Amino acid sequence: MLADVKRTQIYLEERHARELARRAAARHTTKAHLIREALDAYLGQGDDEEERLQRFREAVDGAAGIAPYLPDGVAFVRASREGDLQRQDELRERAGA
């Protein structure tokens, strides 16, 4: 038996109960285990700090270099802002015309 667990009762719609039973059987685990996993995912408490940090690092590594066609970051932001300012000026001119 698991340590520090509390028994509770929930009411499921028939379709939920069927799918939960199907998935538990397919994974050779219990429905209670699947419900605890789902709650951990929903509540964000299933992973320890190290696991979350590792997933974050993997995401950053995966995103790094994703857009090599972009110019230098600072220059790109500066050019984008200048373009925004030009569009705002154009809109002001049109509104005043």
Side-chain angles (χ1 to χ4, degrees):
M1 179 138 237
L2 297 172
D4 298 324
V5 295
K6 180 175 174 141
R7 187 179 191 287
T8 190
Q9 182 176 345
I10 62 171
Y11 293 93
L12 300 175
E13 293 180 17
E14 182 61 36
R15 63 188 176 95
H16 292 138
R18 277 193 312 271
E19 184 62 17
L20 186 61
R22 185 191 71 73
R23 290 184 187 201
R27 288 185 50 191
H28 305 290
T29 190
T30 64
K31 293 184 282 186
H33 179 78
L34 292 182
I35 291 169
R36 284 191 297 273
E37 282 184 346
L39 284 171
D40 284 342
Y42 178 74
L43 299 173
Q45 299 173 357
D47 301 328
D48 67 7
E49 183 68 22
E50 186 59 35
E51 288 176 16
R52 286 193 300 272
L53 184 58
Q54 180 62 32
R55 281 201 320 274
F56 172 76
R57 287 179 177 149
E58 289 171 2
V60 169
D61 288 344
I66 197 167
Y69 57 86
L70 292 178
D72 171 45
V74 174
F76 176 74
V77 170
R78 189 172 292 128
S80 295
R81 288 180 179 161
E82 288 174 10
D84 289 342
L85 292 173
Q86 288 175 349
R87 281 188 290 282
Q88 288 176 355
D89 290 342
E90 291 171 8
L91 289 172
R92 282 189 202 107
E93 287 177 20
R94 288 182 192 172

